[in-house]
Amino acid sequence: MDILTRDFYARGTLAAARDLLGRELVRVQADGAELVCRITETEAYIGRTDKACHAYGGRRTARTETLFAPPGTAYIYLIYGMYHCLNFVTEAEGEPAAVLIRGAVPVKNGDIIAKNRFGCKMEDMTAYQRKNFLNGPGKLCRGLDLTRAQNGLDLTQPGGGLYLRPGSPPDPSQVQVGERIGIDYAEEAVHFPWRFYL
């Protein structure tokens, strides 16, 4: 099985965030069905310098403890009391940094993903639903049925039911860079060009 190894995550967060584009995210359901998406949008968060990171300045809480885990660990948290967000821990163990997965497109078992999101098959989605299928971190987690229950999973081991395959990285000319979304509180970090998308 071709799974991205810990070395992929154990490096600079900005490099990992860019390199995650085009990779295949695999979620294995309890019945063995593989839900596969191609990553299209990411954001980097680096605790030591980034006021938008939950662990800015090394802040450790029950919520952020996973950010200090070994690289290649899934960090899933809840926002607004209703939306889950999937992140991949990067850099060395003990260095709080991660990449938020903001968007993806379905590659395999799209009908199951659509049922998780909208209760229908892909062919029955409206134009609005197609446009807003997996284009946000909460939408992606809902489509892949990811919750806090998967927080802390080791992405380098297939047995956990969540891992990444090499997929098809894009040509560098296809990668766009910009400011992150929804972090107005983060002072100067608002302007960091740490969002990468296709």
Side-chain angles (χ1 to χ4, degrees):
M1 189 177 293
D2 206 5
I3 297 178
L4 296 182
T5 66
R6 200 166 311 281
D7 287 345
F8 178 88
Y9 306 95
R11 55 187 171 140
T13 305
L14 295 176
R18 181 185 290 268
D19 202 15
L20 277 163
L21 296 174
R23 307 298 181 171
E24 289 186 349
L25 174 59
V26 182
R27 164 76 159 125
V28 183
Q29 294 195 139
D31 62 4
E34 285 188 350
L35 310 184
V36 184
C37 294
R38 181 174 185 253
I39 296 172
T40 59
E41 185 176 0
T42 64
E43 288 181 349
Y45 290 85
I46 304 173
R48 65 182 170 272
T49 58
D50 180 9
K51 291 177 181 173
C53 182
H54 294 159
Y56 171 62
R59 182 172 53 241
R60 288 182 97 128
T61 66
R63 181 192 199 197
T64 66
E65 194 59 35
T66 307
L67 276 170
F68 296 84
T73 299
Y75 170 48
I76 302 178
Y77 59 86
L78 191 66
I79 58 170
Y80 309 128
M82 64 173 80
Y83 301 117
H84 289 91
C85 295
L86 171 65
N87 301 256
F88 303 147
V89 176
T90 53
E91 305 199 18
E93 183 173 359
E95 183 68 46
V99 177
L100 171 68
I101 309 305
R102 279 203 60 87
V105 293
V107 172
K108 180 180 178 184
N109 282 322
D111 282 345
I112 298 174
I113 299 170
K115 187 173 182 182
N116 288 341
R117 275 281 285 133
F118 301 117
C120 65
K121 292 184 176 181
M122 286 183 70
E123 65 187 23
D124 297 323
M125 292 193 306
T126 66
Y128 177 83
Q129 289 171 332
R130 283 194 295 275
K131 182 179 179 183
N132 296 282
F133 192 7
L134 302 174
N135 63 338
K139 299 171 188 178
L140 177 65
C141 282
R142 183 165 291 175
L144 296 181
D145 191 27
L146 293 171
T147 67
R148 286 273 302 160
Q150 287 76 45
N151 182 53
L153 282 181
D154 185 346
L155 299 164
T156 67
Q157 301 296 321
L162 186 66
Y163 58 89
L164 275 84
R165 296 194 297 226
S168 53
D171 184 278
S173 65
Q174 296 177 286
V175 177
Q176 305 295 309
V177 180
E179 296 178 358
R180 294 170 296 176
I181 296 170
I183 57 165
D184 296 343
Y185 57 87
E187 298 179 5
E188 73 279 356
V190 168
H191 304 295
F192 293 176
W194 288 2
R195 174 174 166 248
F196 304 91
Y197 58 101
L198 301 177

